């Protein structure tokens, strides 16, 4: 099984969707790609959370490193994103299948000016699969739109994502607007994204900073226990 999990991770890094993809060096056509490998893992009974934790998260971390080193360019990143999405499309129904409980309403958005959504989508899939009713507002969402969605849905939780240092300040704008509308006490605010920290969460008045999707789930579970 370890080889299968490694193959899934490596196909993500190679940005391959299925067996027709030739891969970055043009030699991989005919070999199983993300679709076939994830399907095989599902048939073997590998839990979706294992595939996410052992293949998708570390695979995307490696893609990030390659981009930062200059070895990967934008098309390589987009190919990796398509490969992750293929995996998530196969995993999402399984995550949903096991959950009938409704743990609360969660509004999720990437803040204004920011188009990064791979991490947000992973969080959305994991939380949806864990019984949260998620309203995903998408990317580059203005503070006003986020606050209106909270008001209308009476959500218990808000998740904000930012990957750019130039957009993370928008999170404070959202929190300030929630205060203006007297909604701040009604919603727990979770923030995530590579440039953020625990300290930044405290500074802007968010409730929780989360390293990754599993950290978010743990923090939500600890809130449930406190009730
Ligand atoms: C993929 C990628 C892109 C893709 C995005 C595709 C997509 N659909 O998302 C594309 C090619 C479009 C892109 C564009 C750009 N990018 Co870019 N991108 C990345 C890259 C390589 C990986 C990001 C990623 O997907 N990581 C994998 C996911 C799984 O991790 P994650 O997002 O961190 O999410 C996890 C946690 O953070 C957490 N989390 C995230 N959000 C949330 C929210 C909540 C509520 C919770 C609880 C948890 C949580 O959980 C997630 C799952 O575990 C990063 C490098 C890096 N190392 O991060 C650069 C990076 C973020 N990009 C960068 C830049 C500069 C850009 C561009 C400006 C490039 C350009 N010149 O055009 C544009 C900006 C476009 C825009 N307006 O947003 C810089 C940002 C630098 C900075 N300091 O601001 C980075 C750091 C690369 C670099 N070192 O230069 N990018």
């Amino acid at each position: 099984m370890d080889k299968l999990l490694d193959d899934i991770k490596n196909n993500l890094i190679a940005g391959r969707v299925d067996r027709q993809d030739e891969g970055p060096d043009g030699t991989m056509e005919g070999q199983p790609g993300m679709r076939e490998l994830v399907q095989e893992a599902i048939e073997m009974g590998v839990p979706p959370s294992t595939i996410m934790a052992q293949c998708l998260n570390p695979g995307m971390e490696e893609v990030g490193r390659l981009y930062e080193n200059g070895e990967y360019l934008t098309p390589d990143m987009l190919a990796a994103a398509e490969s992750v999405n293929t995996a998530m499309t196969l995993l999402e129904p399984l995550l949903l299948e096991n959950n009938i409980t409704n743990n609360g309403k969660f509004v999720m958005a990437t803040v204004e000016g920011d188009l990064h959504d791979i991490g947000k989508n992973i969080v959305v899939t994991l939380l949806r699969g864990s019984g949260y009713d998620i309203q995903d507002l998408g990317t580059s969402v203005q503070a006003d739109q986020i606050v209106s969605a909270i008001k209308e849905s009476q959500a218990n939780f808000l998740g904000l994502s930012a990957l750019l240092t130039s957009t993370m300040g928008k999170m404070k704008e959202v929190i300030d607007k929630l205060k203006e509308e007297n909604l701040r006490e009604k919603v727990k605010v979770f923030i995530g994204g590579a440039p953020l920290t625990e300290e930044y969460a405290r500074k802007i008045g968010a409730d929780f900073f989360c390293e990754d999707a599993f950290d978010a789930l743990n923090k939500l579970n600890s809130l449930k226990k406190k009730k």
Side-chain angles (χ1 to χ4, degrees):
M1 182 174 102
D2 284 352
K3 176 169 182 317
L4 179 58
L5 295 181
D6 271 353
D7 284 349
I8 293 175
K9 188 175 93 181
N10 291 333
N11 267 271
L12 189 168
I13 297 166
R16 291 186 74 231
V17 166
D18 58 26
R19 67 167 76 245
Q20 273 143 31
D21 256 324
E22 19 176 69
D25 56 5
T27 61
M28 295 176 84
E29 195 177 342
Q31 293 176 33
M34 185 58 99
R35 196 186 316 282
E36 293 84 9
L37 293 166
V38 169
Q39 196 57 51
E40 188 184 338
I42 291 171
E43 279 159 22
M44 280 173 68
V46 181
S49 56
T50 303
I51 300 174
M52 289 166 77
Q54 292 190 29
C55 312
L56 306 188
N57 279 341
M60 277 313 295
E61 275 169 24
E62 179 60 18
V63 172
R65 260 194 303 275
L66 290 165
Y67 181 69
E68 277 163 27
N69 294 343
E71 286 176 59
Y72 266 19
L73 300 174
T74 303
D76 304 308
M77 278 197 293
L78 291 175
E82 207 189 331
S83 179
V84 173
N85 286 340
T86 304
M88 294 309 279
T89 308
L90 292 167
L91 297 177
E92 193 163 66
L94 294 179
L95 285 162
L96 289 176
E97 202 168 79
N98 301 325
N99 282 283
I100 27 167
T101 53
N102 186 350
N103 283 326
K105 285 191 182 163
F106 208 120
V107 168
M108 185 78 80
T110 300
V111 295
E112 188 182 354
D114 203 319
L115 299 173
H116 294 85
D117 67 355
I118 299 171
K120 170 186 71 62
N121 293 347
I122 291 178
V123 178
V124 165
T125 303
L126 185 71
L127 297 188
R128 217 169 244 159
S130 305
Y132 290 88
D133 175 6
I134 308 265
Q135 185 183 358
D136 183 0
L137 303 178
T139 58
S140 192
V141 188
Q142 289 177 358
D144 281 340
Q145 277 174 274
I146 297 173
V147 173
S148 298
I150 294 285
K151 206 189 265 175
E152 276 162 32
S153 65
Q154 300 188 348
N156 323 75
F157 309 104
L158 168 63
L160 298 173
S161 183
L163 267 285
L164 299 172
T165 43
S166 58
T167 59
M168 55 197 253
K170 292 285 172 186
M171 292 181 164
K172 181 163 184 318
E173 202 177 307
V174 176
I175 292 172
D176 289 348
K177 280 203 172 22
L178 284 173
K179 285 182 191 155
E180 277 167 30
E181 301 276 337
N182 290 326
L183 290 167
R184 180 64 190 93
E185 301 310 318
K186 301 203 167 98
V187 64
K188 294 278 179 213
V189 180
F190 289 68
I191 64 168
L196 305 177
T197 58
E198 205 83 61
E199 196 195 337
Y200 188 71
R202 263 197 306 276
K203 191 172 140 199
I204 63 169
D207 296 292
F208 299 102
F209 159 71
C210 303
E211 282 287 343
D212 57 28
F214 294 98
D215 190 19
L217 196 54
N218 287 339
K219 285 176 173 150
L220 284 161
N221 284 339
S222 68
L223 277 179
K224 265 200 289 180
K225 281 188 199 133
K226 274 193 202 152
K227 266 193 191 167

